[in-house]
Amino acid sequence: MTSKFKSDPILNEQIDTKFVPTEYEPLGKEVYIKKETALDAMAGDGGYEEAYLGDHLRFKMRREGKRFWAGDNISDFLHEGDKERLINEATEAFELVLDRLLIDRENDPNSKGTARRLAKMYFNEIMAGRYDPSPDCTAFPNDSKDRYEGMLVVRSELRSMCSHHHQPVTGVAYIGILAAEKLIGLSKYTRIAQWCARRGTLQEELANDIAREIEKATGAKDVGVYVQAQHGCCENRGIMAHSSLTQTTVLRGAFKDDIGTKKEFFDNIKLQQDFSPR
Ligand SMILES: [Zn+2]
């Protein structure tokens, strides 16, 4: 025989949880509760599927001491499919920017898809050099008896963007090397230069980045890079100088130390400019 169930009167008592200030004494010291970090959010239910991938990647890069300035390549931290997800997250953020700019993106037909267009343009075009790995540059040995030992100057057209104003930077880079033990295809010089340019850049840094990547790809120690470009941030805003031109030069090895090599490089640039004026 089972006894009739009786609920516990104390356990089931309706507890009055109303806060009555006079019934409480203040602690007399400040109490801190730790803010939730991206990692905490990921550790919570559902993993980081529920958080932004962008936040997760920023956290990871910070933890590993990886710099992620506008001109830095971060492709090592991206996996297949990440770009698509980052584009979706950036679309959401650009929608908010348009809302804050008081642009009616629901009814203005020209602004309807703008947030997504902007997000795709940043990831796939104007900043592609941040997210894509370096161009594949197969190097061929230059070690035969009749190997080429002269100077090589390649003119590369550039499209970039200033990291201060996100305005277009349009120009050309002249890349010079003294043939080293490796040769890369001629188009690769331009591919490398454009990969460096398609980020948020400063022109001074851009010339350095191109020189460093050309050194890496060719093994050459004698490298010269001359960049001349027009900056949208000087043309469309600020001083509104529509024909201003900025020139930067990086010289390494013989290009820096040997007057003859330096002169030959700049003579070659002049010949190229005569052949194809900007
Ligand atoms: Zn600028």
Side-chain angles (χ1 to χ4, degrees):
M1 202 176 123
T2 50
S3 60
K4 201 166 178 258
F5 175 78
K6 277 196 207 129
S7 68
D8 186 319
I10 295 169
L11 198 70
N12 292 285
E13 189 187 26
Q14 287 295 318
I15 302 161
D16 183 10
T17 52
K18 217 171 84 191
F19 175 68
V20 183
T22 50
E23 288 178 4
Y24 292 85
E25 252 185 66
L27 270 174
K29 58 181 178 187
E30 290 178 60
V31 176
Y32 293 90
I33 296 170
K34 194 173 180 291
K35 277 188 201 165
E36 191 182 59
T37 64
L39 196 70
D40 297 331
M42 280 182 271
D45 46 352
Y48 81 83
E49 280 299 317
E50 285 180 47
Y52 285 97
L53 173 63
D55 289 339
H56 165 67
L57 293 174
R58 278 190 304 122
F59 178 81
K60 202 170 160 196
M61 289 190 284
R62 283 226 172 91
R63 191 181 53 196
E64 294 182 24
K66 161 72 183 162
R67 203 179 77 164
F68 52 102
W69 294 5
D72 293 330
N73 180 277
I74 57 165
S75 59
D76 282 350
F77 285 77
L78 299 185
H79 299 100
E80 182 115 18
D82 282 358
K83 219 177 172 187
E84 209 42 56
R85 198 156 153 211
L86 291 169
I87 287 171
N88 289 338
E89 292 177 3
T91 300
E92 213 179 297
F94 277 124
E95 282 172 352
L96 192 63
V97 171
L98 293 170
D99 290 347
R100 293 294 179 263
L101 290 171
L102 303 176
I103 293 170
D104 182 356
R105 59 184 174 85
E106 270 108 66
N107 296 302
D108 173 2
N110 300 316
S111 301
K112 261 185 184 170
T114 296
R116 177 156 293 275
R117 276 191 289 272
L118 282 170
K120 282 169 81 176
M121 179 180 76
Y122 269 85
F123 279 94
N124 295 332
E125 292 167 318
I126 58 178
M127 277 202 172
R130 298 191 74 230
Y131 311 106
D132 294 345
S134 64
D136 178 28
C137 292
T138 312
F140 304 98
N142 184 35
D143 54 6
S144 63
K145 246 202 306 182
D146 55 349
R147 68 191 183 131
Y148 180 68
E149 290 182 323
M151 183 183 291
L152 186 82
V153 179
V154 177
R155 175 192 153 102
S156 303
E157 287 179 357
L158 295 183
R159 291 279 181 278
S160 191
M161 189 182 84
C162 84
S163 42
H164 293 146
H165 303 93
H166 289 203
Q167 283 285 302
V169 175
T170 319
V172 282
Y174 294 91
I175 302 163
I177 65 160
L178 294 184
E181 64 272 21
K182 285 191 282 179
L183 290 178
I184 56 170
L186 290 179
S187 67
K188 303 299 184 192
Y189 293 91
T190 300
R191 286 202 190 283
I192 290 173
Q194 289 178 346
W195 177 67
C196 293
R198 304 195 102 190
R199 307 172 191 187
T201 61
L202 280 191
Q203 191 174 322
E204 299 89 325
E205 282 174 4
L206 177 57
N208 267 330
D209 290 348
I210 295 173
R212 186 190 60 239
E213 294 300 330
I214 294 292
E215 275 179 357
K216 253 195 233 169
T218 61
K221 290 281 162 277
D222 308 302
V223 176
V225 176
Y226 168 76
V227 177
Q228 64 176 48
Q230 286 177 286
H231 291 247
C233 63
C234 297
E235 295 180 342
N236 310 327
R237 54 160 298 287
I239 55 167
M240 306 278 234
H242 65 86
S243 65
S244 68
L245 190 64
T246 306
Q247 297 160 308
T248 43
T249 311
V250 172
L251 300 172
R252 293 186 181 168
F255 283 78
K256 188 179 169 202
D257 303 327
D258 179 59
I259 290 172
T261 306
K262 187 174 172 178
K263 187 177 182 308
E264 188 184 338
F265 179 48
F266 283 101
D267 286 348
N268 270 312
I269 291 172
K270 275 188 215 120
L271 286 170
Q272 292 237 26
Q273 287 173 333
D274 288 344
F275 173 72
S276 172
R278 289 191 72 236

